[in-house]
């Protein structure tokens, strides 16, 4: 039983480290933005250039955007409001958490332009100058990156794993959409599945659910057999 708890803690640690690995691709930038609610927005950091790829660390992920100059950032963000109204005034307001979550659930997003302060949403901005985010692709000139971002403004279908903000910025920068966060998440899931102890944990939980939870065998067996099959295939 102790080994089982150690295994679960190990997997939790891996998921926590996943976020740190994503941040490793960015250069700690020059100056943090002013906290939200301050009297006036900060001027753009002097080292920011039009076409730069920006990152903002969130709790569980990193948000990406393309700097357009003049304190403006183009970024793809889940938002349900464009599907509900055409009111320009309401659409240009900062995307709230409720709008963002609803956009994720309904797979609706928009590429919009916000100020640096609104893009950062109280967090620190990083400048990503790393090359090779899209394998085999060379970074386009900065002006071309900015123009590509501006050309994509408007509504887009959204997928947390397959069409997110990082896919948007890598498409603008390399002409090929890619997401390291998605790749690292999938690698983590594959590693968990391929671990023999995952099958053991699934089997124990399945037996407990049948004996104590009253779940039918026809319902529980697939939860045991599917991870076992994936582990064998891996």
């Amino acid at each position: 039983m102790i080994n089982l708890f150690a295994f679960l803690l190990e997997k939790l640690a891996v998921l926590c480290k996943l976020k740190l690995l994503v941040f490793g691709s960015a250069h700690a930038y020059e100056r943090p933005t002013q906290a939200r609610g301050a009297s006036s927005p900060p001027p753009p950091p002097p080292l920011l250039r039009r076409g730069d790829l920006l990152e903002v660390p969130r709790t569980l992920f990193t948000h990406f955007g393309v700097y357009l100059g003049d304190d403006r950032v183009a970024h793809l963000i889940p938002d349900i409001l464009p599907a509900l109204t055409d009111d320009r005034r309401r659409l240009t307001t900062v995307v709230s958490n409720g709008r963002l979550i609803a956009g994720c659930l309904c797979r609706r997003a928009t590429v919009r332009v916000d100020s640096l302060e609104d893009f950062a949403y109280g967090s620190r901005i990083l400048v990503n100058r790393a090359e090779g985010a899209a394998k085999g692709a060379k970074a386009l000139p900065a002006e071309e990156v900015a123009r590509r971002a501006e050309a994509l403004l408007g509504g887009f279908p959204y997928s947390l794993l397959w069409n997110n903000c990082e896919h948007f910025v890598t498409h603008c920068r390399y002409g090929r959409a890619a997401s390291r966060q998605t790749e690292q998440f999938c690698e983590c899931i594959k590693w968990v599945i391929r671990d023999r102890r995952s099958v053991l944990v699934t089997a124990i939980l399945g037996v407990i659910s049948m004996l104590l939870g009253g779940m039918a065998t026809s319902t529980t067996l697939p939860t045991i057999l599917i991870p076992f099959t994936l582990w064998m295939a891996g």
Side-chain angles (χ1 to χ4, degrees):
M1 184 61 68
I2 294 178
N3 291 336
L4 177 60
F5 282 119
F7 167 70
L8 294 174
L9 290 175
E10 178 185 354
K11 300 309 179 188
L12 179 62
V14 170
L15 291 175
C16 294
K17 290 179 181 178
L18 179 63
K19 179 168 174 277
L20 299 177
L21 291 173
V22 172
F23 295 160
S25 63
H27 294 182
Y29 104 89
E30 301 99 300
R31 191 171 80 205
T33 59
Q34 190 172 350
R36 293 186 60 81
S39 57
S40 61
L47 296 182
L48 281 185
R49 303 189 299 263
R50 176 173 164 86
D52 274 346
L53 193 157
L54 306 183
E55 301 182 9
V56 175
R58 304 294 194 203
T59 304
L60 297 175
F61 61 93
T62 303
H63 187 52
F64 291 83
V66 175
Y67 186 62
L68 302 179
D70 299 326
D71 193 39
R72 299 176 302 129
V73 182
H75 58 126
L76 184 148
I77 184 169
D79 187 6
I80 192 60
L81 195 58
L84 304 177
T85 181
D86 293 326
D87 187 340
R88 183 77 177 169
R89 182 182 59 83
R90 295 180 62 190
L91 292 176
T92 54
T93 58
V94 177
V95 178
S96 65
N97 289 333
R99 285 167 56 181
L100 187 148
I101 293 172
C104 287
L105 296 176
C106 297
R107 304 172 64 87
R108 300 295 296 267
T110 181
V111 176
R112 54 183 284 153
V113 176
D114 284 312
S115 68
L116 272 174
E117 182 186 20
D118 288 340
F119 170 72
Y121 209 70
S123 299
R124 195 164 62 102
I125 295 178
L126 308 176
V127 180
N128 185 317
R129 305 202 190 279
E131 298 293 336
K135 297 177 182 178
K138 184 178 180 180
L140 298 171
E143 181 60 30
E144 176 66 16
V145 174
R147 285 202 299 263
R148 290 170 69 92
E150 291 169 334
L152 293 173
L153 296 178
F156 272 86
Y158 182 77
S159 169
L160 185 63
L161 292 180
W162 314 119
N163 191 32
N164 58 40
C165 59
E166 189 175 4
H167 289 99
F168 163 69
V169 298
T170 53
H171 170 76
C172 294
R173 190 178 199 179
Y174 301 100
R176 180 184 303 175
S179 173
R180 286 184 175 177
Q181 294 181 109
T182 295
E183 292 171 0
Q184 291 172 348
F185 176 78
C186 291
E187 285 299 319
C188 179
I189 294 299
K190 287 194 293 184
W191 180 66
V192 171
I193 291 174
R194 289 171 178 171
D195 195 304
R196 295 182 179 181
R197 290 171 294 181
S198 298
V199 180
L200 176 60
V201 171
T202 305
I204 292 175
L205 293 177
V207 172
I208 292 175
S209 64
M210 285 189 295
L211 297 178
L212 302 181
M215 294 185 64
T217 304
S218 59
T219 303
T220 307
L221 281 180
T223 65
I224 300 175
L225 295 177
I226 291 175
F228 176 77
T229 302
L230 292 174
W231 167 64
M232 292 294 292

